[in-house]
């Protein structure tokens, strides 16, 4: 624990440091919260003159991702990050397709797979040309990835079953859903998730998992 951000040396995609040598150690830093004191406006009721105020930024889990290699750093961004949503239009301006870039799925903090299979252009065509874009990720009862697909709405809570922390086998398949974006009728895209999605255990039986500020 530290009171300020320390030096970060995340694990690089090629495992090499800036000098081309194998990284001997890696480190990450995460801002969990800020703690301050606030004045008590009603001291007449016997409360102290001030109380502690905690502003939480991260709760539950932290995720250590790979940093780009030198080759990746030198390559200009093409705007094709994982799960990016875009629209295609014809000459009249009418939306002809909503497409999603395949992205990475992490399970229990580890890379699991690259979800969705792109067409010849590397993108996946959504079933609708406007509205919500959801990504559904399915695991078997043992936590083995089964598949992922796009949906125009959030799945029913009857099937949406994140794995829970339990000492016993539940025999329930795990299903997660992520709201990737909303596409307006004029083709504008409001993106909510980009790059990767994280499937974690639902720890609500132990503590409230969020949301953080």
């Amino acid at each position: 624990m530290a009171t300020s951000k320390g030096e970060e040396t995340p694990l690089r995609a090629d495992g090499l440091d800036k000098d081309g040598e194998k990284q001997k150690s890696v480190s990450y830093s995460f801002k969990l919260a800020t703690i301050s004191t606030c004045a008590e406006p009603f001291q007449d009721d016997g409360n102290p003159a001030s109380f502690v105020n905690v502003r939480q930024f991260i709760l539950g889990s932290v995720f250590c991702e790979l940093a780009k290699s030198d080759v990746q750093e030198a390559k200009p961004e093409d705007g094709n990050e994982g799960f990016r949503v875009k629209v295609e239009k014809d000459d009249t301006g009418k939306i002809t397709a909503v497409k999603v870039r395949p992205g990475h799925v992490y399970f229990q903090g580890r890379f699991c797979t690259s979800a969705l299979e792109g067409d010849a252009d590397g993108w996946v065509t959504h079933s609708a040309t406007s509205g919500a874009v959801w990504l559904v990720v399915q695991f078997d009862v043992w936590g083995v990835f089964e598949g992922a697909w796009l949906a125009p709405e959030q799945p029913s809570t009857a099937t949406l079953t994140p794995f829970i922390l339990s000492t016993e086998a539940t025999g329930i398949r795990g299903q997660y859903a992520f709201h990737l974006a909303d596409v307006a009728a004029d083709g504008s895209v409001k993106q909510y998730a980009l790059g990767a999605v994280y499937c974690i255990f639902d720890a609500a039986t132990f503590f409230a998992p969020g949301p953080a500020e």
Side-chain angles (χ1 to χ4, degrees):
M1 302 293 290
T3 57
S4 60
K5 182 178 180 180
E7 181 179 352
E8 286 189 302
T9 55
L11 180 64
R12 294 161 64 84
D14 55 8
L16 303 177
D17 61 23
K18 294 293 185 179
D19 297 324
E21 301 293 333
K22 185 176 180 180
Q23 286 181 272
K24 296 181 175 61
S25 64
V26 299
S27 62
Y28 296 79
S29 62
F30 303 92
K31 185 177 182 180
L32 300 183
T34 56
I35 302 175
S36 60
T37 57
C38 298
E40 167 57 64
F42 305 107
Q43 297 185 36
D44 293 341
D45 58 8
N47 289 331
S50 63
F51 60 90
V52 176
N53 176 45
V54 179
R55 185 179 183 187
Q56 190 89 31
F57 296 100
I58 296 178
L59 193 65
S61 302
V62 294
F63 300 95
C64 302
E65 292 190 289
L66 296 178
K68 292 181 179 180
S69 65
D70 288 338
V71 174
Q72 292 171 320
E73 288 285 2
K75 183 180 179 181
E77 294 287 351
D78 58 5
N80 292 345
E81 296 90 347
F83 301 123
R84 177 176 291 278
V85 178
K86 70 174 183 178
V87 299
E88 293 184 348
K89 299 181 180 180
D90 59 18
D91 295 337
T92 65
K94 179 182 178 181
I95 300 175
T96 57
V98 171
K99 294 197 170 185
V100 180
R101 190 75 164 176
H104 290 169
V105 173
Y106 286 78
F107 181 53
Q108 294 181 255
R110 295 184 175 89
F111 174 71
C112 175
T113 187
S114 180
L116 305 178
E117 185 174 347
D119 300 327
D121 61 357
W123 296 74
V124 183
T125 303
H126 187 38
S127 60
T129 54
S130 65
V133 183
W134 284 79
L135 173 72
V136 185
V137 180
Q138 183 73 56
F139 296 90
D140 69 9
V141 296
W142 304 107
V144 177
F145 176 80
E146 289 188 324
W149 61 91
L150 298 174
E153 59 186 13
Q154 182 179 356
S156 166
T157 54
T159 60
L160 192 59
T161 50
F163 289 108
I164 63 173
L165 290 176
S166 174
T167 58
E168 300 178 358
T170 61
I172 299 175
R173 297 164 70 208
Q175 187 179 98
Y176 298 75
F178 303 92
H179 191 182
L180 298 183
D182 284 328
V183 180
D186 63 358
S188 59
V189 178
K190 186 174 184 180
Q191 190 91 33
Y192 299 106
L194 191 68
V197 294
Y198 299 90
C199 303
I200 61 177
F201 282 93
D202 181 2
T205 51
F206 292 83
F207 63 88
E213 291 188 29

